[in-house]
Amino acid sequence: MTVTRRVVNIGILTMASLLIVHSTALAHGAGVRGTQALYVANEGSDTVSVMDVGSMKVIGTITVGSGPQHVAVSPDRRYAFVTCGRSAEVWILDLPTHAVAAVVPNTTGPGGQTVFGAGATYAYVTNSLYSRVTVIEAATGKKVAMIPVGEAPTKIGISPDGSHAYVPSERSNTVATLNLSLNVVAAELPVGVRPYAVEVSPDGKYLLVSSTDSGTVTVIEAATRKPLRRIPVGDDPHHVVFGPGGAFAYVLNRGSDNLSVIQMANHQVVATIPVGKEPSDADITPSGHYIYVTNTGGNDVSIISTRTSTVVGTIPVGTRPHDIVISGDGRYAFVANTGSDDISVINLLSQTTVGRVPVGKRPIGMALW
């Protein structure tokens, strides 16, 4: 493997508009998901924007490969991994200097995603072009394995202890269970048609796999690797979010503009929550009390109460909102607006948009440091 090292000059960007926020409202804690900087993958401009959370301003722009789609910050907060779908590269950024530590070629593809194993020693990247999961040593950028999985892998889930990864493959209609200590496929399980995402329950006991073309979610017992039930949900289900404690799971049905609420005790849908048009992504507050859902077709965000399973508010944002991340202290949500090339900042205390920060073209993936 050839690792290309490059020097990146990060310049301060002049913002087209100022974000006005009272400084007294900007005290952030460390947070498990980070609260110091937001990294934004701009798919249309082949860049990563670095936004300082304290000032709510873009402080730098990093040129990366073609078509960056996903950013993942390592658990030790030393690296950011950027998957570039069109150039099939993973760019590794050193934090907090933002120097490019390595470029790993022939590693990923469209829709590629990175997760980290136990101890943050290795990163695991889905490669849709070659139907593989690429294993990268985080500190050196070296490929250490290419694990064959089903055809066209997309998202990737990981067990709470970091010992196993679960990879749905859209064209194989399967989920591969990876033993990460051996870098091998331990099992390959059938699921619904065109599986999109897999989510692991907080206790690690169950996997929920959404299948977009069959309108179902498959429940798999992790210990036995046995599919337990295939649950009908709404049309075109995509992301799955677990509520506090894992008692309920929320499935975003992009085609029917609603969320299905699955009770994990009996693996049944117990409620359907109407939201905005084309729900795309969601994140849950650290308290577990609210889930914020981006509605790509409605240019807004729905607020779901996990206590009542109802919509308690709707917040307008930019055009075609996609990803959403919530700060570790639970004070702010950041929404990537792919149609208006900016980030909406939501104050979660007042549940209002407090500003929009211009970034690159088609911002799609985000991670907090």
Side-chain angles (χ1 to χ4, degrees):
M1 179 201 74
T2 300
V3 177
T4 305
R5 298 186 176 272
R6 306 184 185 181
V7 177
V8 174
N9 181 20
I10 302 176
I12 303 296
L13 293 184
T14 301
M15 296 184 62
S17 61
L18 293 178
L19 177 66
I20 303 175
V21 183
H22 290 294
S23 60
T24 55
L26 294 174
H28 295 277
V32 294
R33 286 177 284 187
T35 53
Q36 297 181 25
L38 179 73
Y39 292 86
V40 183
N42 303 306
E43 185 181 22
S45 55
D46 301 338
T47 59
V48 171
S49 297
V50 183
M51 189 178 99
D52 176 69
V53 173
S55 64
M56 299 293 183
K57 294 182 179 181
V58 171
I59 59 171
T61 301
I62 306 167
T63 299
V64 293
S66 179
Q69 294 180 310
H70 184 261
V71 184
V73 174
S74 61
D76 59 8
R77 294 163 60 88
R78 294 180 60 192
Y79 305 103
F81 276 54
V82 183
T83 57
C84 300
R86 289 194 298 270
S87 60
E89 299 166 326
V90 169
W91 285 57
I92 304 175
L93 309 179
D94 181 76
L95 303 181
T97 67
H98 303 147
V100 178
V103 179
V104 190
N106 301 318
T107 304
T108 188
Q113 186 186 46
T114 302
V115 299
F116 293 88
T121 304
Y122 298 104
Y124 302 86
V125 185
T126 49
N127 187 332
S128 59
L129 296 178
Y130 297 103
S131 299
R132 300 284 190 272
V133 168
T134 308
V135 184
I136 301 172
E137 187 175 46
T140 65
K142 293 181 179 179
K143 289 184 194 177
V144 298
M146 294 279 284
I147 307 172
V149 292
E151 190 176 358
T154 54
K155 306 297 180 182
I156 183 169
I158 195 160
S159 62
D161 63 2
S163 63
H164 289 80
Y166 305 97
V167 187
S169 297
E170 288 189 299
R171 289 200 286 269
S172 298
N173 301 328
T174 58
V175 168
T177 300
L178 308 185
N179 183 323
L180 299 186
S181 63
L182 301 175
N183 288 332
V184 297
V185 175
E188 195 163 359
L189 308 173
V191 290
V193 180
R194 196 167 162 256
Y196 175 78
V198 57
E199 192 69 22
V200 187
S201 63
D203 59 10
K205 292 183 178 179
Y206 299 103
L207 317 177
L208 295 188
V209 186
S210 63
S211 297
T212 60
D213 284 7
S214 60
T216 61
V217 168
T218 302
V219 183
I220 298 173
E221 189 174 49
T224 63
R225 302 168 189 153
K226 179 182 178 181
L228 300 178
R229 186 168 185 177
R230 195 168 294 173
I231 306 171
V233 290
D235 295 336
D236 198 14
H238 276 69
H239 290 285
V240 179
V241 179
F242 276 96
F248 296 92
Y250 301 81
V251 183
L252 279 64
N253 302 309
R254 190 176 294 181
S256 52
D257 302 336
N258 55 31
L259 270 65
S260 296
V261 184
I262 297 175
Q263 186 172 8
M264 293 303 295
N266 57 16
H267 300 149
Q268 291 185 353
V269 174
V270 295
T272 300
I273 307 172
V275 290
K277 187 176 180 181
E278 199 179 337
S280 177
D281 193 26
D283 200 4
I284 189 168
T285 57
S287 68
H289 294 161
Y290 298 101
I291 296 172
Y292 287 74
V293 180
T294 56
N295 302 306
T296 299
N299 302 331
D300 55 24
V301 170
S302 297
I303 309 168
I304 310 295
S305 168
T306 59
R307 295 169 174 171
T308 63
S309 290
T310 58
V311 175
V312 294
T314 302
I315 303 172
V317 289
T319 306
R320 296 199 64 78
H322 195 270
D323 275 18
I324 181 170
V325 294
I326 292 175
S327 62
D329 59 8
R331 300 190 109 193
Y332 294 96
F334 304 93
V335 179
N337 301 310
T338 60
S340 51
D341 301 337
D342 56 19
I343 303 297
S344 290
V345 182
I346 300 173
N347 184 317
L348 300 188
L349 301 179
S350 63
Q351 295 187 342
T352 58
T353 301
V354 295
R356 285 167 59 181
V357 182
V359 289
K361 295 181 180 178
R362 289 202 310 276
I364 187 168
M366 298 184 293
L368 280 163
W369 180 78

